[in-house]
Amino acid sequence: MKKSLIIGASSLVFAAAPVFGVFAANPSAVQDTLTVTVDEICTFTRNSGGSGATISNSMTAGALNSNFGTNTFKAVCNAGSGYSVAAAFTALAGSVSGSITYSATTPTAGSGTWTAAKGGSSSTQNLAASNAKLIDKSGPDTSSGTSQQVTYKVSTQNDIAQGTYTGTATYTLTQK
């Protein structure tokens, strides 16, 4: 009878051992999921060389002003595929008659044209009359952004009528 008691006690020990081992060796996993949404940042600013958005100067007939005015534009945008800044120009229409037309060619005295050049007054990298790109960036650009200076150059015709001539240069930021 002693023998059967020992066997019975041994069986009880082995049957209880795996239950204690399962809880200690295999704890349940706990997992956190983090989701971050990055907000869109696209800004486009201008530091004007004129008074506000208007650049104004007086000129005589047949004159050339290679530094009529400047602006520095700055774009900051985190669009994943990048962005571009396009430019569009109108003629400087006269208050009486006539106009000073936009041209991608650097004006000469008496030509009656105007242009926008990337950079300072000595720059000859003029923006095209159509489909002009002031800035073209691939990928996000948020640390310091991209700046581009524009210098306007204006020439009046030799026989231009006295008056005020007004037109526009429009710059538009578009995400790719």
Side-chain angles (χ1 to χ4, degrees):
M1 182 138 184
K2 257 184 168 180
K3 227 182 190 184
S4 67
L5 264 180
I6 293 173
I7 293 172
S10 261
S11 296
L12 182 60
V13 170
F14 288 133
V19 173
F20 294 116
V22 168
F23 290 113
N26 294 324
S28 296
V30 177
Q31 179 179 12
D32 287 340
T33 301
L34 294 108
T35 302
V36 175
T37 301
V38 177
D39 295 330
E40 177 183 292
I41 299 171
C42 279
T43 60
F44 186 50
T45 57
R46 169 190 55 230
N47 294 330
S48 182
S51 59
T54 302
I55 299 173
S56 180
N57 283 305
S58 293
M59 296 177 66
T60 59
L64 170 65
N65 186 336
S66 292
N67 193 6
F68 190 83
T70 62
N71 274 318
T72 300
F73 299 92
K74 182 176 182 180
V76 177
C77 190
N78 66 348
S81 56
Y83 63 93
S84 64
V85 176
F89 309 99
T90 65
L92 308 179
S95 59
V96 176
S97 68
S99 66
I100 300 170
T101 59
Y102 183 84
S103 175
T105 304
T106 300
T108 57
S111 67
T113 60
W114 74 283
T115 197
K118 285 181 168 184
S121 60
S122 63
S123 175
T124 57
Q125 187 181 1
N126 302 330
L127 291 164
S130 61
N131 299 319
K133 296 277 189 220
L134 178 64
I135 300 171
D136 192 18
K137 192 79 173 154
S138 297
D141 182 17
T142 56
S143 59
S144 60
T146 298
S147 293
Q148 180 62 61
Q149 181 182 20
V150 173
T151 300
Y152 299 108
K153 301 174 182 186
V154 179
S155 169
T156 57
Q157 298 96 321
N158 292 323
D159 59 353
I160 194 166
Q162 174 274 333
T164 301
Y165 294 79
T166 304
T168 61
T170 304
Y171 302 91
T172 307
L173 183 144
T174 305
Q175 296 180 29
K176 292 184 182 180

